[in-house]
């Protein structure tokens, strides 16, 4: 009887806690704020952002994806992003999340670093 209860509980949990995949890549859907974020390409921040030393290059693509190079490592991180006002939120394809703030049209603060528009 206990095995039957355990199986029923596991089935119930697996069906009630399942989250649909995002873009079919198997990632969980991100939590969204009550206000609607800006659609990809509808904000002024699309383009290449680079740290002062040039070591990190962060490209925001108009389709809502980003591609980040670190040093000689191209495409070190990739994922999708959303912009809401001057805030940006990232979801890496590996499941890592991060955020940042555009302090003006040419300056992005992200992960303790300052990026400038290239």
């Amino acid at each position: 009887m206990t095995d039957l209860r355990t199986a029923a509980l596991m089935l119930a949990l697996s069906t009630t806690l399942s989250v649909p995949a995002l873009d079919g890549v198997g990632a969980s859907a991100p939590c969204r704020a009550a206000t609607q974020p800006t659609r990809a390409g509808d904000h002024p921040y699309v383009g290449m952002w680079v740290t002062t030393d040039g070591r990190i290059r962060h490209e925001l693509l108009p389709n809502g994806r980003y591609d980040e190079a670190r040093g000689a490592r191209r495409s070190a991180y990739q994922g999708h992003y959303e912009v809401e006002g001057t805030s940006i939120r990232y979801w890496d394809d590996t499941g890592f999340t991060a955020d940042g703030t555009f302090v003006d049209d040419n300056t992005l603060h992200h992960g303790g670093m300052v990026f400038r528009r290239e």
Side-chain angles (χ1 to χ4, degrees):
M1 186 76 148
T2 303
D3 290 333
L4 185 56
R5 285 184 189 161
T6 302
L9 179 61
M10 291 179 68
L11 178 62
L13 287 174
S14 70
T15 57
T16 58
L17 297 178
S18 64
V19 178
L22 177 66
D23 296 335
V25 295
S28 296
C31 295
R32 300 201 188 269
T35 58
Q36 192 66 356
T38 303
R39 288 188 348 231
D42 287 350
H43 58 80
Y45 307 118
V46 169
M48 184 65 74
W49 296 83
V50 183
T51 56
T52 305
D53 62 5
R55 185 170 127 21
I56 301 174
R57 302 176 58 78
H58 193 97
E59 186 173 12
L60 300 179
L61 302 167
N63 64 356
R65 301 278 300 165
Y66 73 91
D67 190 312
E68 183 175 306
R70 292 196 171 228
R73 187 172 166 209
R74 299 179 70 179
S75 299
Y77 299 98
Q78 295 177 316
H80 73 278
Y81 71 90
E82 290 181 353
V83 172
E84 187 173 349
T86 58
S87 297
I88 185 168
R89 178 83 189 223
Y90 304 90
W91 290 269
D92 186 276
D93 289 342
T94 65
F96 178 79
T97 62
D99 56 27
T101 302
F102 296 95
V103 295
D104 60 43
D105 288 345
N106 296 304
T107 310
L108 166 62
H109 290 182
H110 163 66
M113 298 173 281
V114 176
F115 289 79
R116 304 277 183 210
R117 184 188 299 274
E118 183 175 78

